Amino acid sequence: MATKTAQPADEALGYEQARDELIDVVRRLEAGGTSLEESLALWERGEELAKVCRRWLDGARARLDAALAEEGEEATGEAEDADEE
């Protein structure tokens, strides 16, 4: 069975949308009562949604790290300026 890649529409999903859909997928899987084929399709969809969420979280982490690094550089520069006075 070939695995699906993330659908182009998934790229447009916001974090909250992907997370909410992922929660729904997990609930459906945990509830049971689906055929093997349906369960596999749900699992694959869950994997795709988890990747979307991970990309959003990785991007947020990179932005936070960049902001903290910039803040640290500014603080270091201000400290050096104060030492020169």
Side-chain angles (χ1 to χ4, degrees):
M1 175 186 282
T3 57
K4 296 180 184 178
T5 58
Q7 301 167 352
D10 290 345
E11 300 298 323
L13 280 178
Y15 171 77
E16 290 81 5
Q17 293 169 308
R19 180 202 59 209
D20 291 347
E21 188 178 340
L22 180 56
I23 290 168
D24 183 56
V25 166
V26 170
R27 284 185 185 143
R28 290 173 61 191
L29 284 168
E30 288 177 340
T34 57
S35 69
L36 177 59
E37 193 63 34
E38 290 170 323
S39 294
L40 286 172
L42 284 169
W43 179 81
E44 289 172 342
R45 181 63 180 155
E47 289 291 322
E48 293 167 5
L49 291 165
K51 288 177 187 176
V52 171
C53 289
R54 174 58 51 201
R55 281 194 300 272
W56 275 105
L57 292 173
D58 289 346
R61 170 55 66 191
R63 289 174 60 192
L64 180 59
D65 289 345
L68 290 172
E70 184 178 306
E71 185 177 286
E73 289 172 5
E74 289 175 4
T76 302
E78 290 172 6
E80 288 174 359
D81 290 344
D83 288 343
E84 291 175 5
E85 291 177 7

